[in-house]
PDB file of all heavy atoms in Angstrom:
ATOM      1  N   ALA A  16     -40.931  20.321  85.748  1.00  0.00           N
ATOM      2  CA  ALA A  16     -40.612  21.418  84.828  1.00  0.00           C
ATOM      3  C   ALA A  16     -41.782  22.378  84.639  1.00  0.00           C
ATOM      4  O   ALA A  16     -41.698  23.298  83.833  1.00  0.00           O
ATOM      5  CB  ALA A  16     -40.187  20.850  83.480  1.00  0.00           C
ATOM      6  N   ALA A  17     -42.865  22.198  85.371  1.00  0.00           N
ATOM      7  CA  ALA A  17     -44.041  23.055  85.209  1.00  0.00           C
ATOM      8  C   ALA A  17     -43.875  24.408  85.900  1.00  0.00           C
ATOM      9  O   ALA A  17     -44.734  25.265  85.778  1.00  0.00           O
ATOM     10  CB  ALA A  17     -45.280  22.346  85.753  1.00  0.00           C
ATOM     11  N   HIS A  18     -42.788  24.592  86.581  1.00  0.00           N
ATOM     12  CA  HIS A  18     -42.532  25.824  87.326  1.00  0.00           C
ATOM     13  C   HIS A  18     -41.470  26.645  86.603  1.00  0.00           C
ATOM     14  O   HIS A  18     -40.745  26.124  85.764  1.00  0.00           O
ATOM     15  CB  HIS A  18     -42.077  25.474  88.747  1.00  0.00           C
ATOM     16  CG  HIS A  18     -42.975  24.466  89.413  1.00  0.00           C
ATOM     17  ND1 HIS A  18     -44.158  24.808  90.023  1.00  0.00           N
ATOM     18  CD2 HIS A  18     -42.878  23.113  89.515  1.00  0.00           C
ATOM     19  CE1 HIS A  18     -44.741  23.716  90.484  1.00  0.00           C
ATOM     20  NE2 HIS A  18     -43.983  22.673  90.184  1.00  0.00           N
ATOM     21  N   LYS A  19     -41.362  27.933  86.947  1.00  0.00           N
ATOM     22  CA  LYS A  19     -40.344  28.777  86.300  1.00  0.00           C
ATOM     23  C   LYS A  19     -38.962  28.158  86.442  1.00  0.00           C
ATOM     24  O   LYS A  19     -38.194  28.096  85.499  1.00  0.00           O
ATOM     25  CB  LYS A  19     -40.367  30.184  86.887  1.00  0.00           C
ATOM     26  CG  LYS A  19     -41.524  31.012  86.419  1.00  0.00           C
ATOM     27  CD  LYS A  19     -41.408  32.434  86.897  1.00  0.00           C
ATOM     28  CE  LYS A  19     -42.569  33.229  86.357  1.00  0.00           C
ATOM     29  NZ  LYS A  19     -42.460  34.645  86.664  1.00  0.00           N
ATOM     30  N   THR A  20     -38.640  27.716  87.636  1.00  0.00           N
ATOM     31  CA  THR A  20     -37.413  26.975  87.896  1.00  0.00           C
ATOM     32  C   THR A  20     -37.842  25.573  88.291  1.00  0.00           C
ATOM     33  O   THR A  20     -38.677  25.424  89.189  1.00  0.00           O
ATOM     34  CB  THR A  20     -36.632  27.623  89.054  1.00  0.00           C
ATOM     35  OG1 THR A  20     -36.358  28.974  88.722  1.00  0.00           O
ATOM     36  CG2 THR A  20     -35.337  26.879  89.311  1.00  0.00           C
ATOM     37  N   PRO A  21     -37.333  24.535  87.617  1.00  0.00           N
ATOM     38  CA  PRO A  21     -37.749  23.174  87.982  1.00  0.00           C
ATOM     39  C   PRO A  21     -37.570  22.931  89.478  1.00  0.00           C
ATOM     40  O   PRO A  21     -36.564  23.331  90.069  1.00  0.00           O
ATOM     41  CB  PRO A  21     -36.815  22.281  87.164  1.00  0.00           C
ATOM     42  CG  PRO A  21     -36.465  23.117  85.986  1.00  0.00           C
ATOM     43  CD  PRO A  21     -36.377  24.529  86.508  1.00  0.00           C
ATOM     44  N   LYS A  22     -38.588  22.319  90.074  1.00  0.00           N
ATOM     45  CA  LYS A  22     -38.522  22.077  91.512  1.00  0.00           C
ATOM     46  C   LYS A  22     -39.107  20.715  91.852  1.00  0.00           C
ATOM     47  O   LYS A  22     -39.771  20.082  91.042  1.00  0.00           O
ATOM     48  CB  LYS A  22     -39.233  23.178  92.289  1.00  0.00           C
ATOM     49  CG  LYS A  22     -40.740  23.184  92.150  1.00  0.00           C
ATOM     50  CD  LYS A  22     -41.340  24.255  93.042  1.00  0.00           C
ATOM     51  CE  LYS A  22     -42.826  23.994  93.256  1.00  0.00           C
ATOM     52  NZ  LYS A  22     -43.385  24.873  94.244  1.00  0.00           N
ATOM     53  N   GLU A  23     -38.853  20.298  93.071  1.00  0.00           N
ATOM     54  CA  GLU A  23     -39.329  19.008  93.565  1.00  0.00           C
ATOM     55  C   GLU A  23     -40.827  19.105  93.851  1.00  0.00           C
ATOM     56  O   GLU A  23     -41.289  20.053  94.487  1.00  0.00           O
ATOM     57  CB  GLU A  23     -38.569  18.671  94.839  1.00  0.00           C
ATOM     58  CG  GLU A  23     -38.859  17.320  95.399  1.00  0.00           C
ATOM     59  CD  GLU A  23     -38.008  17.036  96.628  1.00  0.00           C
ATOM     60  OE1 GLU A  23     -36.776  17.111  96.525  1.00  0.00           O
ATOM     61  OE2 GLU A  23     -38.612  16.754  97.669  1.00  0.00           O
ATOM     62  N   CYS A  24     -41.576  18.138  93.358  1.00  0.00           N
ATOM     63  CA  CYS A  24     -43.001  18.019  93.653  1.00  0.00           C
ATOM     64  C   CYS A  24     -43.263  16.601  94.131  1.00  0.00           C
ATOM     65  O   CYS A  24     -42.513  15.682  93.797  1.00  0.00           O
ATOM     66  CB  CYS A  24     -43.854  18.235  92.398  1.00  0.00           C
ATOM     67  SG  CYS A  24     -44.024  19.935  91.882  1.00  0.00           S
ATOM     68  N   CYS A  25     -44.328  16.423  94.883  1.00  0.00           N
ATOM     69  CA  CYS A  25     -44.702  15.049  95.218  1.00  0.00           C
ATOM     70  C   CYS A  25     -45.115  14.355  93.913  1.00  0.00           C
ATOM     71  O   CYS A  25     -45.413  15.011  92.906  1.00  0.00           O
ATOM     72  CB  CYS A  25     -45.813  15.013  96.257  1.00  0.00           C
ATOM     73  SG  CYS A  25     -47.387  15.665  95.709  1.00  0.00           S
ATOM     74  N   ALA A  26     -45.120  13.038  93.932  1.00  0.00           N
ATOM     75  CA  ALA A  26     -45.329  12.272  92.700  1.00  0.00           C
ATOM     76  C   ALA A  26     -46.650  12.611  92.015  1.00  0.00           C
ATOM     77  O   ALA A  26     -46.694  12.811  90.804  1.00  0.00           O
ATOM     78  CB  ALA A  26     -45.241  10.782  92.994  1.00  0.00           C
ATOM     79  N   ILE A  27     -47.729  12.697  92.770  1.00  0.00           N
ATOM     80  CA  ILE A  27     -49.028  12.949  92.134  1.00  0.00           C
ATOM     81  C   ILE A  27     -49.073  14.339  91.506  1.00  0.00           C
ATOM     82  O   ILE A  27     -49.610  14.518  90.408  1.00  0.00           O
ATOM     83  CB  ILE A  27     -50.204  12.714  93.120  1.00  0.00           C
ATOM     84  CG1 ILE A  27     -51.535  12.684  92.378  1.00  0.00           C
ATOM     85  CG2 ILE A  27     -50.222  13.741  94.224  1.00  0.00           C
ATOM     86  CD1 ILE A  27     -51.718  11.504  91.472  1.00  0.00           C
TER      87      ILE A  27
END
Side-chain angles (χ1 to χ4, degrees):
H18 311 278
K19 285 187 178 186
T20 302
K22 70 176 198 172
E23 185 177 304
C24 284
C25 66
I27 192 68

